Amino acid sequence: MFRKQKKGFTLVETCVAIGLAAGLIILVMKLVGIIHGDVAKGTVDLQNLQEARLVINALRRDFVCATPLYDTSEAIDVRDEVRADPVLYANSISGAHKSRPIVVNSHEIAFCKTSVDSSGAKTREEITYFFDGVTKTLNRHSSSGIKHFEGMEDIKFDLYYHPLNSDVPMILVTMLIKTKEDKANEKSKELELTTTICSSIVNDDVANLDWHWSGE
């Protein structure tokens, strides 16, 4: 009569199984970490793109009603001089006159926004957009306070004239935003976005310089 042999695992088989399980767990954890990192980076990229979209919308919403600053206490010839050249590229604003054109430089634009409220009254607000290269923040200054836009590496402003209508000045906006990290070079790539914005008020005024005008 034969005795049945008990089945089981040897010590070697047990060690091999534990090693395989541990290796599989480590591999899964690494894959989860990589996927989680990619998702996190993707979220940052989408946030930067969303912030860039908000910047473009804010600039367009403000600049469509942009106009030079006309001070009615000054002589008409001073205001006519500003009207003849409504947008200038300059590093600083001259303090010789209260009336001044829309001023543009590489990291700043300053203009006057004219709007009409529900009662029909005209309101005028001075607005400035300034990009701080140290904090990587675009700051919108107005009478209502300061609004900050983040997520951009750089923003530059310039004057642009379309070949089909070279009389109308437009603002060329160039933005650099970070994308996913390039692991091979250990650097973050940058995506460049460009757009042009135009003031409908300046556009209409340039097209009708012969109209009687008082600057009020």
Side-chain angles (χ1 to χ4, degrees):
M1 188 173 180
F2 297 97
R3 183 179 295 176
K4 291 183 179 180
Q5 187 177 3
K6 292 182 179 180
K7 295 182 179 180
F9 296 102
T10 64
L11 179 61
V12 175
E13 290 174 336
T14 303
C15 291
V16 171
I18 293 175
L20 290 174
L24 182 61
I25 292 173
I26 293 173
L27 179 61
V28 171
M29 291 180 65
K30 285 185 177 180
L31 288 174
V32 171
I34 292 173
I35 294 173
H36 184 271
D38 288 342
V39 170
K41 291 176 184 176
T43 302
V44 172
D45 294 342
L46 292 176
Q47 288 176 349
N48 290 345
L49 288 172
Q50 175 70 4
E51 195 74 5
R53 186 182 70 82
L54 292 176
V55 169
I56 292 174
N57 288 342
L59 285 168
R60 289 189 183 280
R61 185 170 56 251
D62 285 336
F63 203 76
V64 71
C65 300
T67 178
L69 178 59
Y70 300 110
D71 193 297
T72 55
S73 65
E74 293 184 314
I76 189 66
D77 59 334
V78 174
R79 287 175 281 162
D80 276 336
E81 184 178 351
V82 173
R83 185 187 180 217
D85 204 358
V87 185
L88 287 180
Y89 190 94
N91 291 324
S92 60
I93 300 175
S94 173
H97 300 288
K98 295 179 181 179
S99 300
R100 61 176 181 268
I102 297 170
V103 178
V104 182
N105 60 53
S106 60
H107 288 104
E108 184 177 10
I109 54 175
F111 55 91
C112 188
K113 179 181 178 180
T114 301
S115 58
V116 179
D117 60 21
S118 58
S119 64
K122 183 184 294 185
T123 60
R124 187 174 65 181
E125 183 181 23
E126 293 186 46
I127 296 176
T128 300
Y129 281 87
F130 173 74
F131 180 74
D132 190 335
V134 177
T135 61
K136 307 291 185 181
T137 303
L138 178 66
N139 304 305
R140 178 189 183 273
H141 296 258
S142 67
S143 58
S144 58
I146 303 176
K147 181 175 178 58
H148 305 287
F149 297 93
E150 300 177 346
M152 288 144 286
E153 286 298 294
D154 194 14
I155 295 182
K156 291 185 178 179
F157 303 108
D158 203 351
L159 283 182
Y160 175 76
Y161 296 87
H162 196 281
L164 296 179
N165 192 357
S166 58
D167 293 331
V168 179
M170 293 188 288
I171 306 298
L172 175 65
V173 184
T174 304
M175 295 185 291
L176 291 179
I177 62 174
K178 276 189 177 181
T179 61
K180 292 183 178 180
E181 292 182 358
D182 185 355
K183 294 183 178 179
N185 299 322
E186 296 183 352
K187 293 181 179 179
S188 295
K189 294 181 180 180
E190 293 178 345
L191 176 65
E192 182 178 282
L193 302 175
T194 60
T195 187
T196 55
I197 55 177
C198 178
S199 167
S200 60
I201 296 177
V202 172
N203 187 6
D204 291 342
D205 200 31
V206 169
N208 300 282
L209 284 176
D210 294 333
W211 288 7
H212 176 71
W213 175 83
S214 64
E216 297 181 358

